[in-house]
Amino acid sequence: MLLAVVFMASTQRLKPLPRQTVAVEMQVALPLFVQVFMAMGDRYLAANIAAIRALVVSTEKMKPEDYAVLAKVQTDVSWLNPAHEDNYYIAFAILPQYGELDAAQTILARATKVRYFDYQPAFFYGFNQWYYKHDPAGAAAWLREAALKLPDPDQQLTMQNMAARWVDRVQDTELAIRVVESLAKEARRPDFRKYLETRVVRLRQLQQLRLAADSYRQRFGKPVPDLKTLVTSGILPALPQDPFGFGFGFDQQGNIVLRTSPAPS
């Protein structure tokens, strides 16, 4: 009875006092050997436990340093069980946008290696290379790997086409030409091979224009104001005719690029 009275009195006294919030977010990543020991030596069980921890965490309450811990936890999962599907999904969805791109790429690369039947880790890796690292050539290479894992030939063509279009954005046109030529040689369908060969022609035209623009800069000491000036200045006899009909233009940095839609009339 005395204990009950003391408990009730203490409860009433504590009610008006401010309560300290218990943080349930990511604050610590246990060493790998401790995780496996706690899972009774089962690395796959340890991976599942850590993956569930990453899955249920409340990200809207996390601080920047908490995301580093989350990245470490998920990287550990990918070491314990690189094929863990939930783990690579969460890594792609969360880590890159909170500054943990390298951890996400490590997880996706490991998943790509062991999940030979799954195109998504390679596709996600390629997307990150494109969107966050601004590496269209590297992104295209990963898309090509993703395409090989697709079961449907039409889906493979779609993925390979996307890889070819990403390569168009590479500043090193010689590299872009080699990549698309390689894609064309690997293409099984004649119509798709012809399409890629036409893209090679277009890239060679872009290379010609960029070399001409470099010559103009060296000769006149300023960047070329428009493409027609390359002809009027005598550097080119005529502008190349884009086989796709979209033509060429300038990006915000003043580089000559491939247009992806017809020029406005």
Short mmCIF file of all heavy atoms in Angstrom, two decimals, residues 126 129-131 133-143 162-163 165-171 175 179:
data_model
loop_
_atom_site.label_atom_id
_atom_site.label_comp_id
_atom_site.label_asym_id
_atom_site.label_seq_id
_atom_site.Cartn_x
_atom_site.Cartn_y
_atom_site.Cartn_z
N GLY A 126 22.58 3.71 -62.58
CA GLY A 126 22.75 4.57 -63.73
C GLY A 126 22.04 5.90 -63.56
O GLY A 126 22.57 6.96 -63.92
N GLN A 129 24.07 8.10 -61.39
CA GLN A 129 25.22 8.64 -62.11
C GLN A 129 24.80 9.82 -63.00
O GLN A 129 25.52 10.81 -63.13
CB GLN A 129 25.86 7.55 -62.97
CG GLN A 129 26.62 6.50 -62.20
CD GLN A 129 27.84 7.04 -61.49
OE1 GLN A 129 27.89 7.11 -60.26
NE2 GLN A 129 28.84 7.45 -62.26
N TRP A 130 23.65 9.69 -63.59
CA TRP A 130 23.15 10.75 -64.47
C TRP A 130 22.71 11.99 -63.68
O TRP A 130 23.12 13.10 -63.98
CB TRP A 130 21.99 10.21 -65.29
CG TRP A 130 21.17 11.26 -65.99
CD1 TRP A 130 20.02 11.85 -65.53
CD2 TRP A 130 21.44 11.87 -67.25
NE1 TRP A 130 19.56 12.77 -66.42
CE2 TRP A 130 20.42 12.81 -67.49
CE3 TRP A 130 22.45 11.71 -68.19
CZ2 TRP A 130 20.37 13.57 -68.64
CZ3 TRP A 130 22.39 12.49 -69.34
CH2 TRP A 130 21.37 13.39 -69.55
N TYR A 131 21.87 11.77 -62.67
CA TYR A 131 21.20 12.88 -62.01
C TYR A 131 22.10 13.57 -60.99
O TYR A 131 22.11 14.81 -60.90
CB TYR A 131 19.93 12.38 -61.31
CG TYR A 131 19.07 13.47 -60.75
CD1 TYR A 131 18.24 14.22 -61.58
CD2 TYR A 131 19.08 13.78 -59.39
CE1 TYR A 131 17.44 15.24 -61.07
CE2 TYR A 131 18.31 14.80 -58.87
CZ TYR A 131 17.49 15.52 -59.71
OH TYR A 131 16.71 16.53 -59.22
N LYS A 133 25.68 12.73 -60.31
CA LYS A 133 27.10 12.87 -60.65
C LYS A 133 27.32 13.49 -62.03
O LYS A 133 28.46 13.74 -62.40
CB LYS A 133 27.80 11.52 -60.56
CG LYS A 133 27.89 10.98 -59.14
CD LYS A 133 28.98 9.94 -59.00
CE LYS A 133 29.20 9.59 -57.54
NZ LYS A 133 30.33 8.67 -57.35
N HIS A 134 26.23 13.70 -62.77
CA HIS A 134 26.33 14.33 -64.09
C HIS A 134 27.35 13.60 -64.97
O HIS A 134 28.21 14.22 -65.60
CB HIS A 134 26.69 15.81 -63.94
CG HIS A 134 25.83 16.54 -62.94
ND1 HIS A 134 24.48 16.78 -63.15
CD2 HIS A 134 26.11 17.05 -61.71
CE1 HIS A 134 23.98 17.43 -62.12
NE2 HIS A 134 24.94 17.59 -61.23
N ASP A 135 27.22 12.29 -64.99
CA ASP A 135 28.14 11.43 -65.74
C ASP A 135 27.32 10.61 -66.75
O ASP A 135 27.01 9.44 -66.50
CB ASP A 135 28.90 10.51 -64.77
CG ASP A 135 29.78 9.50 -65.49
OD1 ASP A 135 30.10 9.71 -66.68
OD2 ASP A 135 30.14 8.48 -64.85
N PRO A 136 26.94 11.21 -67.88
CA PRO A 136 26.07 10.48 -68.82
C PRO A 136 26.72 9.24 -69.41
O PRO A 136 26.03 8.25 -69.67
CB PRO A 136 25.76 11.53 -69.90
CG PRO A 136 26.82 12.57 -69.77
CD PRO A 136 27.21 12.58 -68.33
N ALA A 137 28.03 9.27 -69.62
CA ALA A 137 28.69 8.08 -70.19
C ALA A 137 28.65 6.92 -69.20
O ALA A 137 28.33 5.78 -69.56
CB ALA A 137 30.13 8.41 -70.56
N GLY A 138 28.97 7.20 -67.94
CA GLY A 138 28.90 6.16 -66.92
C GLY A 138 27.48 5.67 -66.72
O GLY A 138 27.24 4.46 -66.55
N ALA A 139 26.53 6.60 -66.74
CA ALA A 139 25.13 6.22 -66.59
C ALA A 139 24.68 5.31 -67.72
O ALA A 139 23.98 4.31 -67.50
CB ALA A 139 24.25 7.47 -66.55
N ALA A 140 25.09 5.63 -68.94
CA ALA A 140 24.70 4.82 -70.10
C ALA A 140 25.26 3.41 -70.00
O ALA A 140 24.60 2.43 -70.37
CB ALA A 140 25.18 5.48 -71.38
N ALA A 141 26.47 3.28 -69.48
CA ALA A 141 27.07 1.95 -69.32
C ALA A 141 26.25 1.09 -68.36
O ALA A 141 26.03 -0.11 -68.59
CB ALA A 141 28.50 2.09 -68.82
N TRP A 142 25.77 1.70 -67.28
CA TRP A 142 24.95 0.94 -66.33
C TRP A 142 23.58 0.62 -66.91
O TRP A 142 23.00 -0.43 -66.61
CB TRP A 142 24.83 1.72 -65.03
CG TRP A 142 26.05 1.56 -64.18
CD1 TRP A 142 27.17 2.34 -64.21
CD2 TRP A 142 26.28 0.55 -63.21
NE1 TRP A 142 28.09 1.86 -63.32
CE2 TRP A 142 27.58 0.78 -62.68
CE3 TRP A 142 25.54 -0.50 -62.71
CZ2 TRP A 142 28.14 -0.03 -61.69
CZ3 TRP A 142 26.09 -1.31 -61.71
CH2 TRP A 142 27.37 -1.08 -61.22
N LEU A 143 23.04 1.50 -67.73
CA LEU A 143 21.77 1.20 -68.39
C LEU A 143 21.92 0.02 -69.35
O LEU A 143 21.01 -0.80 -69.49
CB LEU A 143 21.25 2.43 -69.14
CG LEU A 143 20.08 3.15 -68.46
CD1 LEU A 143 20.50 3.72 -67.12
CD2 LEU A 143 19.54 4.26 -69.35
N MET A 162 17.48 4.44 -74.36
CA MET A 162 17.69 5.45 -73.32
C MET A 162 19.18 5.66 -73.08
O MET A 162 19.64 6.80 -72.92
CB MET A 162 17.00 5.02 -72.02
CG MET A 162 17.03 6.07 -70.93
SD MET A 162 16.27 5.50 -69.39
CE MET A 162 14.59 5.19 -69.94
N ALA A 163 19.94 4.56 -73.09
CA ALA A 163 21.39 4.67 -72.91
C ALA A 163 22.00 5.50 -74.04
O ALA A 163 22.85 6.37 -73.80
CB ALA A 163 22.02 3.28 -72.85
N ARG A 165 20.53 7.79 -75.84
CA ARG A 165 20.12 9.19 -75.72
C ARG A 165 20.92 9.89 -74.61
O ARG A 165 21.24 11.08 -74.72
CB ARG A 165 18.62 9.28 -75.43
CG ARG A 165 17.76 8.84 -76.60
CD ARG A 165 16.29 8.81 -76.22
NE ARG A 165 15.80 10.15 -75.94
CZ ARG A 165 15.32 10.99 -76.84
NH1 ARG A 165 15.29 10.62 -78.12
NH2 ARG A 165 14.89 12.18 -76.51
N TRP A 166 21.22 9.18 -73.53
CA TRP A 166 22.02 9.77 -72.46
C TRP A 166 23.44 10.06 -72.95
O TRP A 166 24.03 11.07 -72.58
CB TRP A 166 22.05 8.85 -71.24
CG TRP A 166 20.80 8.94 -70.42
CD1 TRP A 166 19.66 9.63 -70.73
CD2 TRP A 166 20.54 8.32 -69.16
NE1 TRP A 166 18.71 9.47 -69.74
CE2 TRP A 166 19.24 8.68 -68.77
CE3 TRP A 166 21.28 7.49 -68.34
CZ2 TRP A 166 18.66 8.24 -67.58
CZ3 TRP A 166 20.72 7.05 -67.15
CH2 TRP A 166 19.42 7.42 -66.77
N VAL A 167 23.96 9.16 -73.78
CA VAL A 167 25.31 9.37 -74.30
C VAL A 167 25.38 10.64 -75.14
O VAL A 167 26.42 11.28 -75.24
CB VAL A 167 25.76 8.13 -75.12
CG1 VAL A 167 27.04 8.42 -75.89
CG2 VAL A 167 26.00 6.95 -74.19
N ASP A 168 24.26 11.04 -75.75
CA ASP A 168 24.24 12.27 -76.55
C ASP A 168 24.69 13.48 -75.73
O ASP A 168 25.14 14.48 -76.30
CB ASP A 168 22.82 12.54 -77.08
CG ASP A 168 22.47 11.61 -78.23
OD1 ASP A 168 23.36 10.90 -78.72
OD2 ASP A 168 21.30 11.62 -78.66
N ARG A 169 24.53 13.43 -74.43
CA ARG A 169 24.86 14.58 -73.59
C ARG A 169 26.34 14.61 -73.18
O ARG A 169 26.76 15.55 -72.50
CB ARG A 169 24.00 14.55 -72.32
CG ARG A 169 22.50 14.55 -72.57
CD ARG A 169 22.06 15.82 -73.27
NE ARG A 169 20.63 15.87 -73.48
CZ ARG A 169 19.77 16.39 -72.61
NH1 ARG A 169 20.20 16.89 -71.47
NH2 ARG A 169 18.47 16.40 -72.87
N VAL A 170 27.10 13.61 -73.55
CA VAL A 170 28.51 13.57 -73.19
C VAL A 170 29.26 14.68 -73.94
O VAL A 170 29.09 14.85 -75.14
CB VAL A 170 29.12 12.19 -73.54
CG1 VAL A 170 30.61 12.18 -73.26
CG2 VAL A 170 28.42 11.10 -72.74
N GLN A 171 30.10 15.42 -73.24
CA GLN A 171 30.88 16.47 -73.88
C GLN A 171 31.97 15.89 -74.78
O GLN A 171 32.35 16.49 -75.78
CB GLN A 171 31.52 17.38 -72.81
CG GLN A 171 30.52 18.27 -72.10
CD GLN A 171 29.78 19.18 -73.06
OE1 GLN A 171 30.37 19.80 -73.94
NE2 GLN A 171 28.46 19.27 -72.91
N LEU A 175 34.06 9.81 -77.40
CA LEU A 175 33.62 8.75 -76.48
C LEU A 175 32.18 8.37 -76.78
O LEU A 175 31.83 7.18 -76.82
CB LEU A 175 33.76 9.22 -75.03
CG LEU A 175 33.17 8.30 -73.95
CD1 LEU A 175 33.86 6.94 -73.97
CD2 LEU A 175 33.28 8.94 -72.58
N VAL A 179 30.69 4.62 -77.87
CA VAL A 179 29.68 3.92 -77.09
C VAL A 179 28.49 3.53 -77.96
O VAL A 179 28.01 2.39 -77.93
CB VAL A 179 29.21 4.78 -75.89
CG1 VAL A 179 28.01 4.14 -75.21
CG2 VAL A 179 30.34 4.94 -74.89
#
